[in-house]
């Protein structure tokens, strides 16, 4: 006898109870005890519950946790799941942008015919992958989860007994996230993987830069690029302990949790010569951004304009469009120092400016850079020259730091360090 036949037999047996016993029980005065009718009803409910359980688990088991509110629509089931999880978690702000069946991913999972697919007997009728995008801000006192734009794919399977779609409960699926694709949300800036703080701080930084054009002495400004600078963040956080503690700054950029960040930007400014002595040209800036924890609003705390132009968004060849050698004087200063130092014993194969080394020096020698006033921007006054040469028959190479005197505009030697020859000229 299967579970269905068992349930029918139980109901038939209960129906066969003579009505006179129930009628007689109704004439008995209550004696602080449960009536026969109540006992019978309770027995029926209990037996039906047992039978239902047997009926369900006699085939495949479809279980779901308290967060799920499954329906006959897999997309709606996912939306309910996301909402219930966020209402039960310490979330300050939450918004779902959209969800849809990912037909391509569904087909991929089924086509692979893994052991899991075979074991669960998944097919086009009882399995789909739903992709969803949403946004959330967690209450940091009680949650370490990341704020921002979120995206997940949910593996949903159909429960034919209850006619509902439920989330397949498998720990492997928990890490199955494709990254934020921006399919449903139109408020972001199109950067995959950006969280809300990334978007908000970036937009405020760009607004600050664009605001420079409103100055009376500025004709126009062209922003070449703007991006967060993790190395500069580390430098600021490690060398400004007092300021960090007073402002309450923190930045765990590896997990996108922060209330302080630094953006590096490059731009071109056309100044009004009648109102300022500043020269037109390419400039760079570090913007220190902080967030008000109470309001969640970002603002620019400090703008560092006296810093090196790193040529991240534009090459030097684009700046020097006249075709001349822009670094000729710096290179001549480096090779002249080599000749003066080693005399006739040296044979110089060649020399060129190494912008990667220049940026490295300027970035990691902030104290010296500050004292010397070095800058790689429009008023470039520091460069690292790489030179290859032969000394006493041995091929060698050297990085030579040269700087420009602001008054005489002459380049001169400052420091040098030997390195391994790269074979550029020999």
């Amino acid at each position: 006898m299967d579970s269905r036949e068992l349930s029918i037999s139980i109901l038939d047996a209960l129906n066969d109870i003579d009505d006179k016993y129930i009628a007689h029980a109704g004439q008995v005065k209550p004696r602080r005890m449960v009536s026969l009718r109540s006992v019978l009803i309770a027995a029926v409910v209990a037996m039906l519950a047992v039978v239902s359980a047997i009926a369900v688990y006699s085939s495949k088991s479809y279980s779901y946790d308290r967060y799920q509110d499954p329906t006959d629509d897999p997309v709606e089931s996912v939306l309910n799941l996301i909402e219930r999880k966020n209402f039960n978690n310490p979330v300050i702000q939450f918004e779902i942008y959209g969800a849809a069946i990912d037909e391509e991913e569904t087909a991929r999972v089924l086509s692979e015919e893994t052991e899991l697919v075979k074991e669960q007997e998944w097919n086009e009728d009882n399995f789909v992958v739903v992709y969803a995008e949403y946004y959330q801000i967690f209450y940091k006192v009680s949650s370490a989860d990341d704020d921002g734009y979120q995206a997940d794919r949910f593996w949903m399977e159909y429960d034919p007994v209850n006619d509902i779609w439920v989330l397949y409960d498998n720990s492997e699926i928990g890490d199955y996230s494709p990254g934020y694709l921006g399919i449903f949300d139109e408020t972001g800036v199109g950067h995959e993987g950006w969280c809300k703080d990334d978007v908000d701080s970036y937009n405020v930084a760009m607004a600050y830069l664009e605001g420079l054009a409103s100055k009376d002495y500025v004709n126009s400004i062209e922003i070449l690029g703007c991006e967060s600078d993790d190395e500069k963040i580390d430098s600021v956080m490690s060398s400004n302990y007092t300021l960090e503690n007073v402002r309450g700054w923190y930045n765990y950029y590896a997990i996108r949790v922060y209330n302080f960040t630094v953006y590096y930007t490059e731009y071109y400014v056309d100044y009004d010569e009648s109102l300022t002595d500043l020269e037109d040209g390419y400039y760079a800036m570090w913007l220190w951004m902080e967030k008000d924890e109470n309001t969640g609003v970002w603002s620019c705390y400090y703008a560092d304009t006296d810093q090196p132009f790193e040529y991240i968004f534009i090459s030097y060849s684009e700046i020097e469009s006249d075709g001349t050698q822009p670094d000729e004087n710096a290179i001549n200063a480096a090779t002249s120092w080599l000749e003066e130092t080693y005399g006739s014993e040296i044979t110089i194969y060649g020399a060129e400016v190494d912008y990667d080394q220049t940026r490295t020096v300027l970035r990691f020698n902030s104290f010296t850079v500050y004292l010397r006033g070095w800058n790689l921007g429009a008023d470039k006054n520091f460069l690292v020259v790489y030179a290859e040469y032969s000394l006493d028959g041995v091929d060698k190479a050297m990085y030579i730091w040269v700087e420009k005197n602001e008054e005489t505009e002459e380049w001169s030697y400052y420091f040098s360090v030997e390195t391994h020859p790269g074979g550029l000229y020999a």
Side-chain angles (χ1 to χ4, degrees):
M1 179 182 297
D2 60 22
S3 59
R4 179 177 178 81
E5 292 173 343
L6 174 61
S7 61
I8 294 174
S9 298
I10 293 172
L11 291 174
D12 290 341
L14 291 172
N15 288 330
D16 288 340
I17 297 176
D18 196 325
D19 289 341
K20 68 179 180 179
Y21 293 109
I22 298 178
H24 173 70
Q27 297 172 2
V28 177
K29 294 181 179 181
R31 298 181 181 178
R32 293 178 179 267
M33 59 186 297
V34 181
S35 67
L36 178 58
R37 182 180 296 276
S38 299
V39 171
L40 291 175
I41 293 175
V44 172
V45 172
M47 291 304 296
L48 289 176
V50 172
V51 171
S52 298
I54 294 174
V56 172
Y57 288 100
S58 63
S59 56
K60 182 177 178 180
S61 174
Y62 296 87
S63 61
Y64 52 90
D65 59 27
R66 64 189 177 92
Y67 292 125
Q68 293 199 56
D69 182 17
T71 70
D72 59 358
D73 182 350
V75 174
E76 185 178 349
S77 295
V78 167
L79 295 175
N80 291 344
L81 169 63
I82 298 174
E83 285 185 353
R84 289 169 70 92
K85 291 195 72 171
N86 280 278
F87 286 142
N88 284 275
N89 285 341
V91 176
I92 299 175
Q93 184 178 344
F94 167 70
E95 183 176 357
I96 297 176
Y97 293 124
I101 294 177
D102 190 332
E103 296 181 357
E104 182 177 346
E105 189 63 20
T106 300
R108 185 195 68 78
V109 174
L110 294 176
S111 65
E112 290 183 352
E113 298 185 351
T114 61
E115 290 298 324
L116 177 61
V117 172
K118 295 177 181 178
E119 177 183 338
Q120 298 299 318
E121 300 180 350
W122 286 339
N123 54 52
E124 295 179 353
D125 297 324
N126 63 9
F127 174 83
V128 295
V129 177
V130 176
Y131 173 78
E133 293 179 352
Y134 49 99
Y135 169 77
Q136 56 193 5
I137 297 179
F138 288 96
Y139 182 51
K140 288 297 181 290
V141 174
S142 55
S143 175
D145 291 334
D146 294 348
D147 292 344
Y149 296 104
Q150 307 290 334
D152 286 295
R153 288 192 177 101
F154 299 84
W155 290 23
M156 307 297 291
E157 60 178 357
Y158 180 63
D159 175 358
V161 175
N162 298 300
D163 188 27
I164 57 176
W165 286 85
V166 299
L167 175 70
Y168 176 70
D169 187 14
N170 188 303
S171 59
E172 294 179 1
I173 310 305
D175 297 328
Y176 192 73
S177 176
Y180 189 75
L181 303 180
I183 295 176
F184 301 103
D185 172 38
E186 298 180 355
T187 64
V189 293
H191 293 267
E192 182 176 336
W194 277 37
C195 69
K196 186 177 187 301
D197 281 330
D198 293 334
V199 175
D200 290 349
S201 59
Y202 173 86
N203 287 339
V204 173
M206 291 294 290
Y208 177 89
L209 291 169
E210 293 167 354
L212 297 178
S214 64
K215 304 294 184 182
D216 294 337
Y217 53 87
V218 175
N219 291 327
S220 64
I221 181 171
E222 178 186 1
I223 302 172
L224 306 175
C226 180
E227 67 178 22
S228 62
D229 189 335
D230 293 344
E231 293 179 350
K232 184 63 177 178
I233 293 170
D234 287 338
S235 175
V236 173
M237 298 293 281
S238 62
S239 59
N240 293 271
Y241 295 110
T242 302
L243 188 58
E244 177 184 345
N245 291 330
V246 171
R247 307 296 298 182
W249 289 340
Y250 58 85
N251 189 308
Y252 309 106
Y253 53 78
I255 58 174
R256 317 310 303 153
V257 176
Y258 60 95
N259 65 357
F260 169 80
T261 190
V262 178
Y263 281 97
Y264 171 79
T265 179
E266 295 174 357
Y267 54 98
Y268 181 86
V269 184
D270 178 11
Y271 289 109
D272 186 337
E273 297 179 357
S274 65
L275 299 176
T276 180
D277 294 332
L278 295 174
E279 298 181 359
D280 299 347
Y282 292 91
Y283 292 87
M285 183 185 298
W286 272 313
L287 297 175
W288 296 18
M289 311 295 295
E290 68 173 355
K291 181 176 71 172
D292 186 320
E293 293 285 14
N294 295 321
T295 63
V297 175
W298 283 89
S299 60
C300 181
Y301 174 79
Y302 173 65
D304 182 5
T305 56
D306 295 325
Q307 46 72 54
F309 198 98
E310 301 191 7
Y311 301 100
I312 291 178
F313 304 105
I314 188 169
S315 66
Y316 199 89
S317 60
E318 291 179 86
I319 296 178
E320 294 293 332
S321 58
D322 58 1
T324 61
Q325 170 53 268
D327 305 322
E328 182 177 356
N329 292 335
I331 295 172
N332 288 340
T335 54
S336 297
W337 175 83
L338 283 172
E339 293 172 346
E340 293 173 2
T341 303
Y342 299 107
S344 60
E345 300 175 359
I346 189 172
T347 300
I348 300 175
Y349 297 135
E352 64 182 28
V353 172
D354 189 324
Y355 281 101
D356 288 336
Q357 281 295 318
T358 302
R359 287 192 288 268
T360 300
V361 171
L362 291 171
R363 179 168 298 203
F364 294 104
N365 294 270
S366 56
F367 185 69
T368 303
V369 170
Y370 173 76
L371 291 179
R372 306 295 298 182
W374 289 339
N375 174 37
L376 192 57
D379 299 323
K380 177 176 59 178
N381 60 9
F382 173 82
L383 288 169
V384 175
V385 176
Y386 171 79
E388 291 183 359
Y389 55 94
S390 173
L391 187 62
D392 294 331
V394 179
D395 290 339
K396 295 187 175 184
M398 183 178 293
Y399 289 120
I400 305 170
W401 300 11
V402 292
E403 63 179 355
K404 183 175 71 172
N405 185 295
E406 296 295 339
E407 296 181 357
T408 64
E409 294 191 355
E410 293 183 357
W411 288 84
S412 61
Y413 167 86
Y414 178 80
F415 177 74
S416 62
V417 59
E418 287 193 11
T419 184
H420 297 289
L424 295 179
Y425 303 102

